[in-house]
Amino acid sequence: MSVRFYIMRNCFIILLILFSALTVQAQELPSDVVKGEDVSMHSNGNLARSLQGLLPGLIVTQTSGDELDGVSVEYRGKTPLVIIDGVISSLDKVNPADVDEVKILRKASASVIYGSQGEGSVLFIKTKNPSKKGVSVAYNGYYSFRRRVIELEDKIVTDGYEWTRNYYDFYAGSSRVPGSAVSVPGVVATSEISVAGSTYLDMFKKMRESGTNDLYGIGSHGQYLYFGSTAWPDLLYRDISGGMSHSLKINTEYGKLSYSVSGRLYNLGSIYENRDFGYGSKDFHQKIIYRVLDGLCIYNDTKFFSTGNKHPYADGSSILSKMNSYSQPIFVPSNEDGTVTLSAAASNWQPIMNGQGESEAVKNLMTITGLDWKLLEGLSLHADYAYANTSSKLERRLIPVTYHFNPNSSWTLNENAEPLSYTLYKSSHRATARLDYSTIFGDGHRVEATLGGDYAANKPLNQSLSGVFLSGTYNYKRLSISSSIRGETGSLYPEDNALGISYGVSGQLNITKWLTIHSDYLSLSRPCVDHAAVEKISTIEAGLDLSALEGRVAFTGNVFRKKLSTTHIDGLEFSLRLRDSFDLAGKQLSWCLSSNVYDALSYVDVVIPPYNENSVGLSYSGSTVGEIWGFRTDGYFRSNEEAKASLKDQFHSNGVNFRPYAGNLKFLNLNGDDEISPGQYKINSHGDLTIIGNSTPRYIFGIGLDLSWSGIGISALFNGVCHRDWYFGSLYAWPKNDSDQMFWGMYYNSSASFLTRDQATDVVGVDYSSDNWKVTKDGYWTRPVGSTVDKGGGLRIPNDYYLQNAAYLRLKNLSVSYTFPKEMTQNIRIESLRFYMSGENLITFSPLSKHAPLIDPEMVSDALGTPIMRSISLGVDVTF
């Protein structure tokens, strides 16, 4: 039993003995809530990016720089249900300038109300209500300048001759064995490079030595030859792109009516040299609150979003994948006569420069109308009706491009391509009603109860869900006990089990003024994806909250276990906040240092046959999710004699021989037999395979610092991961994903365009002058063998030598602002005036950058996506 699990288990037992079956009063803890001002100065159109590192347990990952799809959000292993002002929505459907607060409904009594839709994980967003200060007008706007965090052209070999030398070495290495002739390539990708009486490399070398700078030549078969040094990523991307946001909000109050209306124009310019690409959005938001009489008010909240996103389309693949295959630095975009080259067409660079792309236009309407009515003393009614409608139009256009690879012939790419266009519609309805009752009796006994129900339906899936819920809370002095139960049914549930029951119990005890302990239990029913069964999800949680020195120190810590049908998750999360103020030059300097950490591991309890039953590296009963199985290594062989004396090894492909040579990795024999083998890849027969790491991010953290003095504000937010193992490959299939090629370069494909400078210099050198090859130069990268990371290659199966640590620390945001004194601004009828400068993704530290410089640590699973951007924004926030 691990020490970590032992501590967690006993924490649960101790706290549960204290409370028995108690559960949680939905008290807001500082760590659960993010205020609007914490995200308002982030230059992000998607609120999710601004929440990264702010809430413990909320894992926000930038999977790419794409504004619509480039971010993923998880909470305790599930995507949380997002509720915006009572309407189920998504984080990209709210203007960050409108946000009042964001909080996680982590308590059982709160999350039960949303039933199977929430799966015990609800992110609640409240926007700002209309002001009660008469008429006010507020404007927030900024302009931003953006640049790629990773600029590929600075990290790869772009010199054509240097790239060609490496290509010849890797190509020869893929077939080289002692005594054999050295193989010479005749093509690069699909372009022939044969030269009469010589080799392409020798011709290139002579041109360099003679100082000739000709880019063009003719090969032995009349084909075009090129001798360029083209930095293709530099031709694809702009150095700097722009962005802007303009938000306007008007508040007014007239008698019983409060009204606010806001709008935003948001635009991100193209990061590509073709400026037709980019992202833009427009949104409109209105809130109306009418107090019909004392104790009765009705309200409406309506939001409308219109977004447009156009990005390159590379014929079903990533543009970077295409360029890695066809845009070698020796090639140039155009022939000497101005016609398009084969490389420019095959890589899709030229079609994209001509406007080939995919565009998505989304229109979204959300509205909720409701009432709050105080019926009697302590008894109130709440009812609302919400409606949402979304239309998504996708258009794809392939551009025909004519290219030449010899002077006499031409071919056309996408000659008969047809444009694609379709529109999807979906809508949803939700009605909710509840009665709330509260009373106080005796010397402070407080009882609260809620009874309610809801109905939801959507189209075109024609799914429906209805439920009733009941909750109760008892508070007395330092003790709070709460429980909730919900029953629901609908089209998602199977006919033979049409009722889902969810319930939660919570308890909280204030031991002293500065120490509170709490515990939760949640049992949730939800229909399975195939609607054939009902899955049970349960969560047990315990924690404590500390507050000392009049709030200067605050700590919240939780441990939890979440049980699903086949797996369970053990995790912890905590936050610490320190704050104070002191006099500096006659004015108060206030500071706040905050931090939060989240860590969790998932374990497989049972595998449902026949799915990968007992297969190592996939799943087996008792396994930890994310396990990386592979070989242990002991460096590389120093000579052929040493390699020949090693055990039988079928995992090094060298020419026609499957055996290692000098400069190849030395796999360790762990099971003591006479060969290096993975056995049958089963838990009871895995040969020399063992667990070498785990791809789960460990100890995800955020650190914030805020300073305020004399109108000057400085805030910094760091986020990151303390450790994450990652292998760019898979035990069973290659490639695991296309982005692995960005790590392996020519080991993936001998003619790969993206050869990193690290791979070209920090590589093992071998003396091939005799049959007993010997290592003459040490390096990180093993002997150059092209395309060895494929089926049968020695690097396909994970090993601890090439296992990477994808941990990182990122300066997520740095903001500096100045707020003018009110006595100065009110003279010109300005309520408040603030100028600010904000930077996003400014600095990143990661061990991954040493040997995987082309890959952002947040994009290890999709390094070929839209690059993450670094930005500097200048803005103003003014209220009249």
Side-chain angles (χ1 to χ4, degrees), residues 534-588:
V534 176
E535 180 184 14
K536 295 289 186 179
I537 299 174
S538 63
T539 302
I540 185 170
E541 175 181 340
L544 59 85
D545 310 303
L546 299 171
S547 180
L549 302 177
E550 297 181 340
R552 292 184 179 90
V553 179
F555 171 85
T556 297
N558 298 284
V559 291
F560 69 90
R561 167 168 285 189
K562 187 172 186 177
K563 183 75 172 67
L564 294 92
S565 57
T566 60
T567 62
H568 74 269
I569 304 171
D570 286 338
L572 61 86
E573 54 199 28
F574 70 80
S575 64
L576 175 66
R577 185 187 65 200
L578 308 174
R579 65 181 180 183
D580 204 353
S581 62
F582 57 87
D583 185 82
L584 178 64
K587 297 181 179 180
Q588 284 293 108

Side-chain angles (χ1 to χ4, degrees), residues 581-616:
S581 62
F582 57 87
D583 185 82
L584 178 64
K587 297 181 179 180
Q588 284 293 108
L589 187 151
S590 300
W591 62 271
C592 179
L593 177 65
S594 59
S595 63
N596 64 80
V597 175
Y598 171 83
D599 185 50
L601 283 174
S602 298
Y603 301 91
V604 177
D605 298 318
V606 62
V607 178
I608 300 175
Y611 177 73
N612 302 324
E613 190 174 13
N614 294 324
S615 297
V616 299

Side-chain angles (χ1 to χ4, degrees), residues 389-410:
N389 179 283
T390 301
S391 67
S392 303
K393 183 177 182 180
L394 180 73
E395 293 182 315
R396 182 184 300 158
R397 184 184 176 208
L398 296 178
I399 304 294
V401 170
T402 300
Y403 61 92
H404 297 70
F405 58 82
N406 67 50
N408 303 314
S409 303
S410 66

Side-chain angles (χ1 to χ4, degrees), residues 285 514 658:
H285 181 201
W514 53 268
F658 282 86

Side-chain angles (χ1 to χ4, degrees), residues 301-313:
D301 190 313
T302 298
K303 303 179 183 70
F304 176 76
F305 276 80
S306 175
T307 63
N309 187 34
K310 184 177 181 182
H311 53 85
Y313 179 74

Side-chain angles (χ1 to χ4, degrees), residues 651-670:
F651 296 95
H652 288 98
S653 175
N654 290 285
V656 296
N657 298 328
F658 282 86
R659 52 150 291 185
Y661 289 97
N664 288 146
L665 283 180
K666 188 189 301 183
F667 298 141
L668 294 180
N669 180 247
L670 299 184

